[in-house]
Amino acid sequence: MSRYNFKESEARWQAAWERAGCFRAHESEPAGEPGGASKPKYYVLEMFPYPSGRIHMGHVRNYTIGDVIARYKRARGFSVLHPMGWDAFGLPAENAAMERGVPPAEWTRKNIAAMRGQLKMMGLSIDWEREIATCDPSYYRHQQRLFLEFLEHDLVYRRESWVNWDPVDHTVLANEQVVEGKGWRSGAPIERRQLSQWFFKITEFSEDLLQALESLDRWPEKVRLMQKNWIGRSEGARVSFKIAGREAPLEVFTTRPDTLYGASFFAISPHHPLAAELTASDPGLQDFIAECDRLGTSEEAIETAEKKGHDTGLKVLHPFVKGQELPLYVANFVLMEYGTGAIFGCPAHDQRDLDFARKYDLGVLPVVLPPDADAQDFAVGDTAYVGDGSIYNSGFMNAMSVPDAKKAVIARLEAEGIGAGTVQYRLRDWGLSRQRYWGCPIPIIHCPSCGPVPIPKDDLPVLLPDDVSFDKPGNPLHHHPTWKTAACPSCGAAAERDTDTMDTFVDSSWYFARFCCPREEDKPLDQAMVDHWMPVDQYIGGIEHAILHLLYSRFFMRGLKRFGYTANDEPFAGLFTQGMVCHETYRGEGGGWLHPDDVDKRADGSAVHRDSGRQITVGRSEKMSKSKSNTVDPEQIIETYGADTARWFMLSDSPPERDMEWTAAGIEGAWRFTQRLWRLIGEAAPHLPPARAPTPANFSAQGGTLRRSTHKAIDSVTRDIEAFRFNRAVAQIYEFTNTVAAFQAKSGDDYWALREAFETLARLAAPMMPHLGEEMWRGLGRADMLVELPWPESDPALVIDESVTVAVQVNGKLRATIELPRDSGEEAAREQALADPAVQRLVEGKALRKVIVVKNRIVNVVV
RNA sequence: GCGGGCGUGGCGGAACCGGUAGACGCAACGGACUUAAAAUCCGUUGGGCGUAAGCCCGUGGGGGUUCGAGUCCCUCCGCCCGCACCA
């Protein structure tokens, strides 16, 4: 028997699908009957890749999952849109330009070509005619227009904001480029600097983005929770405090106005206007602020740093306790971006305030008494009490519950005109300006007399210049000799272009809509097309995008709706977040990382170097990454084993939402299975009745059993694909294959049942192993293409068994199993369970206390 | 630090709504075929005790709810993801 030649087969079927245009998406596709309705639409989208050069296993996993869904839905009678594009702007292209002197455009184009080829090897059911790249002017010109529309609708504005500044390279750094407070290239301690930048007003939609999460019922609960916490709605109060000897009050936002009597200090952000004012007379404060700025802009860095404060010497007057004066600090953990940039500290009921109070020896007065505590001796040690309780030490609030006290104190503050109840969101506006070259230029001209002026839409696009140099650090657009000079569109005076480009998250916030009308030239989007395909029915990507990309896209969709491009609010009706691809790590004797190709694994789990035979330490499995050298190249895998094998292994074993481990043994196992399927078909085909032979009237007992397995397999694989349990679908197919392989046909009707089984096997496996599926189908003598056939239907009569195995427990421990007719009554189950010899033995001589019967499942006898 | 998640045999995992823990795959071991090997096929495989029938233990640790817990609750431990300029 010849071996399955995947190379020949995969290329042949890919060509056949392309010739037939199988994966072209059509807005109107007849469902079948002449003059009948169109097929319903289904939009499957995987997060588009960044063209880094080669696909990695994470891509293979992502696109395999999406392709299974796309192929399955197509078989289920949907008109499917399954496009592909490139998230092509971004930092790596600039890094390549700096390190290797390759222009970003050229580097990116080459990478796209290479990765397109690799993706095509995978046999994905993609409509390649809709391919887009965000770095293409035919894409970003529309994005510039959208920017202007956001601006016209008051959803973009300009203000000062903070960036990480590398004082040696004179460059703005991304948070990822700041390593332990130092620039990654220069190693110089970074500073914070203020720049004038553009912002999307996402906070205008805070409440809507929060509320609408409820409607996203096909999103993972954890992602909705993360977004909810990110938006961070909190109810509280704004309170104005008098500062001794000063006119201007200090405004504070707090979620715990009920603990006002427990206040022992106040703190403002290092970037609070008051802090800036005080530096004039306090050189120590200036040093302190400089020290805070060295932490950079990352919230993570600020929150993990040691909490420090600088006493301003100013005193804040307590509004309710006459004569009480509290110290005012500048503290490194107070964020100017949240609330008012000023807080009051109540150490007894907030852990961070407590840590701060202990450090600076400030008072800790409890004002909330835990339900089981005694007012006389309750004290706060190292742990703040944040629970509910009854208020005490608090004047008019005494004896109230925490919620009641909040209401009472807000009423009092409002009555006295020094505060008000308010809702605060943690969500901040989205800064989109980037001081970089390889991005979408911001279509604005800065005029000395008119200020920032939008470029007229007819003059778009603002093209990126090709002739840029990366010799100098900083933004090449800024250094370009001529690019930035322009005439003011308003007054005609000599002016300068905005040399910033847009955050790449802007590119990815509307690409899914552009796929609906990728060649539209006159406008960014054609509403009829967008509303035909949108929302994306199933979006698939990594969990790392759970917040920013998805939230920004939801915001953008709301903007697009406002400008009349769509009637939808939400871009993604269904979301699936897949896990990462991991691999064991290896270290040689010197401690350096070793690539799996250099490692020989022994049967006992130890490993030696392939060439030198030296001992290798096997480390734990971690996310594949170049830095740990534990990557496996998809192209090499596909060359060696074929796309179907790679896809099959990707789907086997691990549930798709969880991290999976890539192993050499696993891919070998998948490869053996493809060979086994091929062999089984080849051996059986000559004995099978012709395709489409009529169903025999009767089947032998074993033939009937085989048919039951066949129809149960249809049922369970269907259910598993619908529920994204691909690893289970794979296991069901393995199990079914074992059944089919063990079957010994004896009669004509047995052979008919066997053909049915093999045909089903090919069809169930096809979404996961599309080439082999087609090859099996042809091997069974079918001339049509599986990709064009509907999904198999199970016969309900063959799926339900007439008898069930029921477990019998005595005192909760399994002691026997009994066979019962399906849906037997409680009495019958109880009787047969008690009659079982094993049960008899254990029950003998004891009084029956209770017998619990769960239909078709279990009988528990309690003695 | 804050927010979110995960933890089951030697390994990846299965177990529906609280109802027979370990399906399926990998690895390992034994056997068949072969001059031999590969491939393939058959069988065994959570741990302990027992000749056997069978019994006991077992889902990261500890505690709880329940006739019954991998699943629910409390608590501790370990690992992973995100934290707004990586994409």
Side-chain angles (χ1 to χ4, degrees), chain A residues 93-104:
Chain A
E94 292 192 42
N95 291 333
M98 272 179 265
E99 283 154 19
R100 280 172 274 163
V102 207

Side-chain angles (χ1 to χ4, degrees), chain A residues 432-434 436-437 439-442 464 477 499-503:
Chain A
L432 69 107
S433 300
R434 297 291 182 269
R436 317 204 180 284
Y437 163 73
C440 172
I442 294 174
L464 278 175
L477 288 180
T499 56
D500 287 349
T501 52
M502 295 186 206
D503 178 9

Side-chain angles (χ1 to χ4, degrees), chain A residues 289-305:
Chain A
I289 292 173
E291 186 191 327
C292 293
D293 284 350
R294 280 196 286 277
L295 282 175
T297 59
S298 135
E299 187 170 317
E300 184 189 2
I302 292 165
E303 290 276 323
T304 42

Side-chain angles (χ1 to χ4, degrees), chain A residues 444-458:
Chain A
I444 292 286
I445 289 172
H446 296 275
C447 171
S449 41
C450 311
V453 181
I455 290 171
K457 287 177 189 158
D458 291 343

Side-chain angles (χ1 to χ4, degrees), chain A residues 71-180:
Chain A
R71 287 175 179 271
Y72 170 76
K73 289 291 178 183
R74 190 168 283 116
R76 282 255 106 148
F78 288 91
S79 162
V80 171
L81 171 60
H82 186 209
M84 180 60 70
W86 309 96
D87 190 10
F89 276 136
L91 271 179
E94 292 192 42
N95 291 333
M98 272 179 265
E99 283 154 19
R100 280 172 274 163
V102 207
E106 187 190 320
W107 184 83
T108 305
R109 260 198 312 275
K110 277 189 181 154
N111 288 349
I112 288 175
M115 288 173 75
R116 186 194 297 117
Q118 292 184 310
L119 289 181
K120 287 195 171 179
M121 286 174 73
M122 284 181 64
L124 303 172
S125 62
I126 282 169
D127 181 356
W128 283 102
E129 299 203 351
R130 290 178 185 252
E131 181 181 350
I132 55 180
T134 57
C135 65
D136 196 326
S138 67
Y139 183 82
Y140 72 69
R141 60 183 281 218
H142 296 298
Q143 185 163 309
Q144 291 174 338
R145 171 159 158 179
L146 288 177
F147 172 86
L148 296 176
E149 284 173 320
F150 273 90
L151 188 63
E152 284 161 19
H153 286 82
D154 224 9
L155 289 171
V156 165
Y157 65 97
R158 194 167 168 79
R159 70 164 155 87
E160 297 277 294
S161 86
W162 296 92
V163 295
N164 297 311
W165 181 255
D166 186 318
V168 171
D169 278 352
H170 299 281
T171 306
V172 176
L173 298 179
N175 282 337
E176 120 176 312
Q177 298 172 324
V178 178
V179 184
E180 286 165 14

Side-chain angles (χ1 to χ4, degrees), chain A residues 198-449:
Chain A
W198 295 100
F199 282 80
F200 281 119
K201 212 187 271 179
I202 188 172
T203 54
E204 186 166 321
F205 296 91
S206 297
E207 191 61 35
D208 184 26
L209 288 168
L210 178 67
Q211 294 297 329
L213 285 172
E214 305 247 345
S215 68
L216 299 174
D217 55 351
R218 290 200 298 116
W219 279 40
E221 187 56 40
K222 61 175 172 180
V223 175
R224 288 194 281 169
L225 234 186
M226 280 192 254
Q227 292 216 349
K228 182 183 171 205
N229 290 334
W230 187 260
I231 295 167
R233 183 185 202 275
S234 56
E235 292 181 9
R238 276 177 187 254
V239 190
S240 281
F241 293 89
K242 278 212 167 74
I243 302 176
R246 293 179 71 96
E247 267 308 304
L250 179 68
E251 202 179 12
V252 159
F253 171 77
T254 176
T255 56
R256 295 298 304 271
D258 54 303
T259 62
L260 204 41
Y261 279 86
S264 67
F265 67 94
F266 283 74
I268 57 174
S269 162
H271 301 117
H272 196 280
L274 178 58
E277 184 193 327
L278 295 173
T279 52
S281 54
D282 184 350
L285 177 57
Q286 200 152 8
D287 293 344
F288 179 74
I289 292 173
E291 186 191 327
C292 293
D293 284 350
R294 280 196 286 277
L295 282 175
T297 59
S298 135
E299 187 170 317
E300 184 189 2
I302 292 165
E303 290 276 323
T304 42
E306 188 192 352
K307 310 289 176 280
K308 282 187 186 171
H310 176 92
D311 193 346
T312 62
L314 295 178
K315 300 292 176 194
V316 178
L317 307 181
H318 197 285
F320 302 138
V321 186
K322 295 302 158 215
Q324 189 181 61
E325 296 190 341
L326 298 165
L328 176 65
Y329 285 81
V330 175
N332 63 355
F333 60 87
V334 181
L335 303 173
M336 195 58 219
E337 291 81 14
Y338 184 72
T340 61
I343 61 156
F344 78 78
C346 176
H349 305 293
D350 182 285
Q351 192 59 46
R352 196 167 53 182
D353 294 348
L354 183 63
D355 296 342
F356 192 81
R358 294 293 183 221
K359 185 175 172 107
Y360 293 101
D361 204 19
L362 301 163
V364 180
L365 175 70
V367 291
V368 181
L369 189 64
D372 50 353
D374 187 340
Q376 310 301 288
D377 55 19
F378 177 69
V380 169
D382 290 333
T383 310
Y385 178 70
V386 295
D388 200 354
S390 126
I391 303 286
Y392 71 133
N393 292 332
S394 294
F396 66 95
M397 281 183 275
N398 281 342
M400 291 181 187
S401 68
V402 166
D404 287 348
K406 283 182 178 171
K407 280 181 214 138
V409 70
I410 287 169
R412 177 80 169 260
L413 291 166
E414 285 174 352
E416 295 192 12
I418 53 169
T422 180
V423 175
Q424 185 71 41
Y425 299 89
R426 207 184 74 98
L427 182 66
R428 307 200 296 255
D429 279 335
W430 168 18
L432 69 107
S433 300
R434 297 291 182 269
Q435 295 69 43
R436 317 204 180 284
Y437 163 73
W438 193 233
C440 172
I442 294 174
I444 292 286
I445 289 172
H446 296 275
C447 171
S449 41

Side-chain angles (χ1 to χ4, degrees), chain A residues 34-53:
Chain A
S38 290
K39 291 180 179 179
K41 71 95 182 177
Y42 197 90
Y43 187 178
V44 190
L45 184 67
E46 302 94 350
M47 291 179 183
F48 65 163
Y50 179 79
S52 55

